[in-house]
Amino acid sequence: MRSKFSYFCTTLTEKKRDMKILVCVSAVPDTTTKITFTENNTKFNSSGVQFIINPYDELALTRALELTEQQGGEVHIITVGDASVEPIMRKALAIGAASAIRVDAQANDGMEVAMEIAAYAGDKGYDLIMAGRESIDFNGGQVGPILSELLGYALVNIATKVDIENGRVLATRDIDGGREKVSCTMPCVVTAQKDLCEPRIPNMRGIMQARTKPLQVIPATVSSGSTAYASFELPEAKGAVKLIDAAEAGKLIDLLREEKKLI
Amino acid sequence: MVLVFAEREGNSFKKSAYEAVSYGRDLAESLGTTCVAAVIGRVENAGQLGRYGAHAVVEHTGAGTDVFEPAVYTAALDEIAKSQNCDVVVLSGSYTGKILAPKLAARNKAALVTGVVELPDMSSGFTVRKSCYSNKAFTTVQLNAPNKVLSIIPNSYSIKEFPGEATLTQLSTDLSGSSMTQSLEIDKQAGKVPLTEAEVVVSGGRGLKGPENWGMIEEMAELLGAATACSKPVSDMEWRPHSEHVGQTGITIKPNLYIAIGISGAIQHLAGVGGSKVICVINTDPEAPFFKAADYGIVGDAFDVVPKLINRLKEINA
């Protein structure tokens, strides 16, 4: 009986093992930024713009930290960019990541970013690689799915819930018109959607510690991407709004029928 | 050749599949080639895709293709693309397309553009316009690799009709061994128009004061055949499900008509709905920023205005 009981205890403890999680973060203009372009509409005008951690990446980071707090383990962050992204990396360290890696490259597209991250992460034995569902600047939604393909890992894309149970990933993801519950083994790539968790505000202790946490810079390995942003443009300005008196609100329906042929 | 992924839902095709096929046909014509539609899993009458522009259809019904699984579907789509020598692949940017487009591009070192809003321009190389900065801008992207993958935003291309049926080829390789994730449960409201596919969307904000007041929003939506949506505060307060939240951190939609009721129009909300063709705003505050982005506006109380709209719609329907 005793041996059976101790066997039962070991399997229980074995199921809880330290996790190694890599979170991909990118720097994006703050969500309230008024977007403008320079150099004949070929470059984003970054003057006076506040850069933040991409909000979806921040959710991925927070959930990664929660998972390592439950399961044990460590969260590392990786970003692809020049030295100007280091302030947001320090912020990620202040939120709780243990160390940071910056691939020193100006990537052209999501494919290039993902290839750089895959080249770094391939032999590091991460259980989970997490990222935001998309960046709020280029809205590509490419890095997570490409990483899963390049590394041959399972993928849970646009996840609103992620848990680890008995060494497996249990997650919920958005699908058209609903949600799907899925389960998969690790290693796995998970991309974060709103609802995954509440973002964390770094505390003073975290901010102090972040200054001395390791931030490693590694050289780029990918030559160049296969796409290039040729030009940018702002949407055409809308004409003046046509106001309808609230007392005759029903007229709106007639205007939509007659002027726009919509109803 | 141009390959288009035609997504199905159960036994039939999604509206976004027809849209993608029509886009693929027009693209194939401008490239002087043919348009092949790829169907994964069994569907009633796959040949009907000819009516939306496909010259040929390849249906992959190998083991494992019944239910969507990222690795299996990527393998199936890749097998179809290679069997037809396709160098350009078009997908709709549905939740499925958001997984398959990058994975397929990664397999083939293809140039990938997601969020595409119109047909490519071939006047100097191969360029295509996509939405960026969360709908606040557009960018023209140059694709510099022989293989190309394009994912188009749902509702950005009109469905076209063509005469005739397409020829049908079957593939049936067993792909069940590629599966990496297991689907446990699908939670979907049956019979509801999915937000991203809806042509008309009626959306409510904090101005509606509480979840108990959504009856009139739903009634109006039903009369218009519309989907319902909401602003971020409304979903944060759990007045409405998260799946209805449109905006920068929610769902991005591009309906023909967006009716915003009691929503002030913060820049983050506009980021998710700014692509709508016609926008109507109903708000008590004449200074609400949403009026600047609107085509039609009513300054007034939702509880007074919406019943009047419903009455007029009923008169018309009668």
Side-chain angles (χ1 to χ4, degrees):
Chain A
M1 272 316 282
R2 198 181 151 196
S3 64
K4 237 182 185 174
F5 180 69
S6 62
Y7 169 78
F8 178 64
C9 288
T10 2
T11 41
L12 265 189
T13 43
E14 263 174 13
K15 277 170 185 165
K16 214 175 168 189
R17 60 187 186 102
D18 278 3
M19 291 187 70
K20 231 176 122 178
I21 307 180
L22 181 66
V23 180
C24 313
V25 299
S26 67
V28 296
D30 179 53
T31 54
T32 55
T33 306
K34 189 167 164 34
I35 304 295
T36 57
F37 301 100
T38 57
E39 294 180 36
N40 203 17
N41 283 334
T42 58
K43 286 208 161 55
F44 173 68
N45 180 6
S46 60
S47 85
V49 171
Q50 169 86 27
F51 281 83
I52 57 167
I53 303 177
N54 179 42
Y56 296 114
D57 299 346
E58 198 173 335
L59 291 177
L61 171 62
T62 310
R63 188 61 194 152
L65 291 166
E66 289 172 2
L67 290 175
T68 53
E69 281 155 16
Q70 294 164 11
Q71 309 282 327
E74 234 174 45
V75 176
H76 304 158
I77 59 147
I78 187 164
T79 188
V80 179
D82 61 21
S84 70
V85 303
E86 287 191 3
I88 71 115
M89 299 179 75
R90 288 287 170 205
K91 190 184 170 199
L93 292 170
I95 293 170
S99 70
I101 302 105
R102 175 168 72 81
V103 183
D104 192 22
Q106 288 268 32
N108 279 310
D109 57 20
M111 183 71 77
E112 212 181 318
V113 170
M115 284 166 81
E116 293 287 3
I117 295 172
Y120 171 81
D123 60 355
K124 304 289 188 297
Y126 285 105
D127 300 292
L128 276 184
I129 299 185
M130 297 180 72
R133 60 167 289 188
E134 65 181 43
S135 69
I136 62 163
D137 51 4
F138 289 105
N139 311 105
Q142 302 179 358
V143 172
I146 292 175
L147 278 173
S148 79
E149 193 64 31
L150 295 177
L151 297 168
Y153 293 179
L155 169 68
V156 182
N157 206 35
I158 316 192
T160 52
K161 206 165 181 286
V162 180
D163 288 294
I164 307 296
E165 271 178 38
N166 302 327
R168 280 181 78 85
V169 176
L170 266 186
T172 305
R173 68 177 194 99
D174 276 357
I175 56 173
D176 286 320
R179 282 179 173 173
E180 181 188 28
K181 265 192 199 157
V182 294
S183 149
C184 65
T185 53
M186 292 189 275
C188 168
V189 174
V190 176
T191 70
Q193 163 73 318
K194 198 195 143 217
D195 276 14
L196 187 66
C197 55
E198 286 300 319
R200 270 182 201 184
I201 296 156
N203 57 28
M204 193 43 86
R205 192 161 156 259
I207 294 166
M208 298 301 285
Q209 282 176 341
R211 293 184 189 166
T212 53
K213 282 182 179 170
L215 192 162
Q216 190 193 350
V217 180
I218 59 172
T221 53
V222 182
S223 53
S224 72
S226 50
T227 66
Y229 295 100
S231 63
F232 294 92
E233 64 196 282
L234 295 170
E236 277 174 46
K238 284 251 179 194
V241 54
K242 198 174 235 181
L243 285 173
I244 296 135
D245 189 359
E248 298 176 307
K251 261 179 79 179
L252 173 64
I253 303 296
D254 300 310
L255 286 170
L256 289 172
R257 269 163 66 97
E258 288 151 22
E259 293 188 353
K260 304 286 178 188
K261 317 262 177 252
L262 277 173
I263 295 171
Chain B
M1 254 193 281
V2 175
L3 185 75
V4 182
F5 173 58
E7 192 178 347
R8 66 185 173 91
E9 172 107 54
N11 253 335
S12 48
F13 289 108
K14 294 175 76 160
K15 185 190 142 205
S16 62
Y18 301 136
E19 191 184 330
V21 169
S22 294
Y23 180 98
R25 168 66 175 257
D26 287 345
L27 173 59
E29 274 181 15
S30 67
L31 290 166
T33 182
T34 50
C35 169
V36 183
V39 180
I40 305 175
R42 210 169 289 280
V43 78
E44 295 273 337
N45 186 13
Q48 61 161 308
L49 290 173
R51 275 182 261 148
Y52 302 95
H55 293 103
V57 176
V58 182
E59 195 178 21
H60 200 309
T61 53
T65 58
D66 279 357
V67 183
F68 173 76
E69 198 285 327
V72 170
Y73 270 51
T74 305
L77 192 57
D78 196 38
E79 191 184 335
I80 297 172
K82 295 206 165 105
S83 76
Q84 303 293 312
N85 279 322
C86 295
D87 48 0
V88 182
V89 181
V90 173
L91 302 96
S92 169
S94 66
Y95 283 93
T96 302
K98 282 179 200 294
I99 292 174
L100 293 181
K103 283 179 82 77
L104 189 72
R107 271 195 179 209
N108 297 293
K109 298 190 169 59
L112 166 68
V113 182
T114 54
V116 168
V117 293
E118 56 192 43
L119 275 180
D121 176 1
M122 257 76 73
S123 57
S124 68
F126 190 114
T127 61
V128 73
R129 224 157 79 100
K130 72 160 259 143
S131 168
C132 65
Y133 293 98
S134 302
N135 274 333
K136 288 177 215 161
F138 294 98
T139 177
T140 302
V141 188
Q142 182 98 37
L143 290 89
N144 300 323
N147 287 318
K148 299 169 181 73
V149 176
L150 303 175
S151 148
I152 56 175
I153 295 184
N155 263 347
S156 50
Y157 206 73
S158 330
I159 296 170
K160 292 184 183 167
E161 304 236 356
F162 294 84
E165 298 260 309
T167 57
L168 189 60
T169 315
Q170 302 271 353
L171 290 179
S172 58
T173 325
D174 182 345
L175 296 174
S176 53
S178 318
S179 178
M180 300 181 95
T181 59
Q182 193 189 345
S183 176
L184 303 175
E185 191 187 322
I186 286 178
D187 177 18
K188 217 174 206 180
Q189 276 180 300
K192 269 196 121 183
V193 188
L195 251 181
T196 47
E197 289 193 6
E199 281 168 21
V200 181
V201 173
V202 182
S203 186
R206 238 180 326 193
L208 288 163
K209 295 192 168 71
E212 66 279 8
N213 298 323
W214 245 261
M216 60 181 186
I217 300 292
E218 280 171 343
E219 188 181 359
M220 188 157 107
E222 207 183 315
L223 286 163
L224 287 163
T228 55
C230 70
S231 66
K232 182 169 187 290
V234 164
S235 113
D236 284 350
M237 290 184 289
E238 294 181 1
W239 292 0
R240 298 297 290 177
H242 147 88
S243 58
E244 285 199 358
H245 163 207
V246 292
Q248 182 151 290
T249 52
I251 301 172
T252 299
I253 54 167
K254 258 190 110 165
N256 293 334
L257 174 60
Y258 183 73
I259 303 176
I261 300 161
I263 302 175
S264 63
I267 192 163
Q268 293 93 336
H269 185 77
L270 292 176
V273 303
S276 309
K277 286 172 196 100
V278 175
I279 295 177
C280 300
V281 170
I282 296 156
N283 205 296
T284 46
D285 176 9
E287 301 298 321
F290 219 152
F291 284 115
K292 288 201 180 73
D295 297 276
Y296 298 97
I298 299 177
V299 180
D301 187 357
F303 298 97
D304 166 46
V305 171
V306 176
K308 284 183 179 145
L309 298 177
I310 289 172
N311 280 339
R312 185 70 193 126
L313 282 168
K314 282 183 176 161
E315 282 170 27
I316 289 167
N317 286 356

